[in-house]
Amino acid sequence: MDNYRGIMLVPIISKVFESFMLSVCRDVLRTDPLQFGFTNGVGWSEAIFALKSTINHFIQNGSCVYVSSLDISKAFDKVNHFKLFTSLIKYGVPIYYVDVLRDWYGKLYAAVRWCGALSYVFCIGSGVRQGVCSPQLYLMCL
C-alpha cells in the first residue's frame, strides 16, 4: 500500500486556469533558483553538477564536507489544504484565485478500482493536485 499513489486526470480547463494564475501571480508563485525538480530545462544532471561543484569548491579550500539527503517523494500528498489556502492569502495571491482553488480542492473525491471492484467514494482532504502549478503550491506551504 505504501507504493500506491492515485493519478488524477486534470481537465484542460484546470490547466488553462493554472497557467493563467501563474502568469498573473508570477511574483508570488515562484520557485527558488536552486529548484531542480519540476522546473523546465533543468533536472537531475544539473542538480548533480551543482552538488559536485559545491563539494569540490569546499574540498579545494580545505574544508570538510558533510552531505545529507532527504526523501520527500510523497510530500505533495501530505499538503494540508487549509494551510495551503492560508499561505496563498498570506503571500498575496488574489482572493478570487484562492476561492477557485478552495472550491476545486473542496470537491476532490475518489474511488479505488481493484480487480474490477470499486471502493466507496471518499473525500481527499490533503495533497496538491497534479498540474501546472503544483510545485509552486507545494512550496507555498514550506
Side-chain angles (χ1 to χ4, degrees), residues 81-90 98 101-102 105:
H81 291 167
F82 179 77
K83 181 172 171 44
L84 171 64
F85 306 137
T86 304
S87 295
L88 290 172
I89 292 168
K90 182 178 95 177
V98 177
L101 288 172
R102 188 181 49 79
Y105 278 79

Side-chain angles (χ1 to χ4, degrees), residues 7 18 25 34 37 39 65 67-68 70 78 94 108 114-115 131 135 140:
I7 296 175
E18 288 183 12
C25 301
L34 296 176
T39 304
V65 177
V67 178
S68 177
L70 177 65
K78 308 262 190 255
L108 287 177
W114 187 266
C115 297
M140 298 299 283

Side-chain angles (χ1 to χ4, degrees), residues 9-90:
L9 300 176
V10 179
I12 295 297
I13 191 69
S14 298
K15 292 180 182 181
V16 171
F17 171 77
E18 288 183 12
S19 296
F20 181 73
M21 187 173 105
L22 278 177
S23 68
V24 170
C25 301
R26 185 175 301 122
D27 294 337
V28 178
L29 297 175
R30 61 176 172 225
T31 57
D32 189 279
L34 296 176
Q35 170 77 29
F36 293 102
F38 308 105
T39 304
N40 288 335
V42 293
W44 63 268
S45 59
E46 288 82 8
I48 291 174
F49 175 77
L51 177 65
K52 287 176 77 174
S53 298
T54 303
I55 291 171
N56 288 338
H57 170 79
F58 283 100
I59 289 174
Q60 289 171 355
N61 289 302
S63 294
C64 294
V65 177
Y66 301 96
V67 178
S68 177
S69 177
L70 177 65
D71 178 10
I72 58 170
S73 59
K74 295 185 183 183
F76 277 55
D77 299 333
K78 308 262 190 255
V79 171
N80 178 290
H81 291 167
F82 179 77
K83 181 172 171 44
L84 171 64
F85 306 137
T86 304
S87 295
L88 290 172
I89 292 168
K90 182 178 95 177

